[in-house]
Amino acid sequence: MAALGVDVNVGNDDGESNTAIKVPERVLRRDQARLEEAERRRNVKESQTVTEEKSDFFKSTFNDEKTAVEEMLSICNHNGCDKSANSLEEITLKIQQLQKFLNDSMRFLTQYEIRQAQASLQKLQSSLAEKRDELLPKKKFAFRSRNTGANKQPAPVQQTTDTSESDVGGTVSVNQCGFSNADSQVLSKQAEEIQQRDVLLSHLTNCKVRLYGCPSTVHIKNVRGCEILCGPVSSSVFVDQCTDSTLVFPCQQLRTHNTTATLIYIHVTSRAIIEDCHGVRFAPFTWTYPGIHDHFKVAGLDPNRNNWREVDDFNWLAAGTPSPNWSVIPETERICSWDVVGHP
C-alpha cells in the first residue's frame, strides 16, 4: 500500500528547477501538534504574565491608597469638629473604594493576597471607628425590642464595645454592636447604628432579627430557631453553632461551622465555606428594604455577581461527587417575601 503523504515543491539553489518531495502525513500531523502545543504554552505564559502584572498593579495601588488613608487618619486630630466630620466622611469613602477595588480584583488574586488585603481593610475600618468615637460627639439611640410571646422576656443584652476573639475565624473588634441572650423577641438595628461596624449576634433563641444597613463584619454564634436578615456586609459573615434557623444576607465571604438544619439565602461575591455542617441548604438572596441598593454600593459588593451555589465543604474532599452536607433549596420552597420588622 502506498504511504499517504503530501507533495511539497522544493526549489534548488539556482532557483531554476523544483523537486517534488512527498512528506508523510504522520509527519505533518506531528509538526502541526508541535505547533499547537507551542502556541498553547505561549498563551499560558502570556496569561500568567498578565495575571502577575494585574496582581502587582493591585498590590501597588492598594498599598498606596492604604498609606494615604492612614496618613489622613493620623492628621485628623488637628482639625476642628466640622472639618473632622468632613475628613472622616472622605476617609469612609476611600475605604469603601478600596473594598470595591479588592472585590473586583479577587478573580486574579491568590487566597493569601485576599486575606492580607481583607485584614488591612479591617484594620482601617477599626481605626476609622476609633477616630470617629474620639473626635465626634456620640449619638444616643433608643433601642427597642418587642415580644412575640404573651409573657415579657428579659431585655436582650445590647452589645456595644468589647474586645474578644471569635471562634469562627474572625477577630471581633472594639467597634462592635449587636444582641445577646434573648429568647422569642423581635430585634432590629438601623443603618446608622451598624454602619461599617462589627455585629455580634449570640445566644439567641426563637428571635427575629433585622439589620437594616451595611456592617463591616457579622458574627452569628449559638443561635437556635432564629430568622436573621441583614443588609450588605462589606467583608465576611462568620457562623458557628447555628441550628434550625434562617439566615439572609449579602457578603463578600461566608464561613459556616458546626451548623445544622439551617437555610441560608445568600449573595456572596467569592465562595461560601462550610465545615462540620449538616443539612445546610442554600438559595439566592431575596430580601429588600428601602435604601438597600445604596448599601450595596457602600459595602463595595457587586449586585450582579452572586456565587450563591458555589459552596466549598472542608469535610468533603471527594472530587466530582457532591457533598451530602449541603444542598440547594428548590425554587418552589424558597421564600421571596419577608415580614417587615423594626423598620421606620
Side-chain angles (χ1 to χ4, degrees), residues 10 39 57 144 162 172 259 266 269 275 311 316 319 325 329:
V10 180
E39 179 69 13
F57 172 77
R144 296 179 180 177
D162 182 27
V172 180
T259 293
I266 189 174
T269 56
E275 187 171 14
V311 180
W316 189 256
N325 299 318
I329 303 174

Side-chain angles (χ1 to χ4, degrees), residues 27-38:
V27 174
L28 291 175
R29 288 199 300 267
R30 185 178 61 197
D31 288 345
Q32 181 64 27
R34 187 162 45 240
L35 289 173
E36 291 175 354
E37 177 63 16

Side-chain angles (χ1 to χ4, degrees), residues 278-310:
H278 304 283
V280 179
R281 300 203 293 165
F282 288 87
F285 178 76
T286 56
W287 188 40
T288 187
Y289 59 84
I292 192 171
H293 298 297
D294 291 335
H295 293 161
F296 263 96
K297 294 177 182 178
V298 172
L301 300 180
D302 183 353
N304 298 314
R305 179 184 175 191
N306 188 3
N307 301 322
W308 66 272
R309 61 164 66 232
E310 296 183 18

Side-chain angles (χ1 to χ4, degrees), residues 190 212 290 340-344:
Q190 305 306 316
Y212 299 94
V340 178
V341 172
H343 199 274

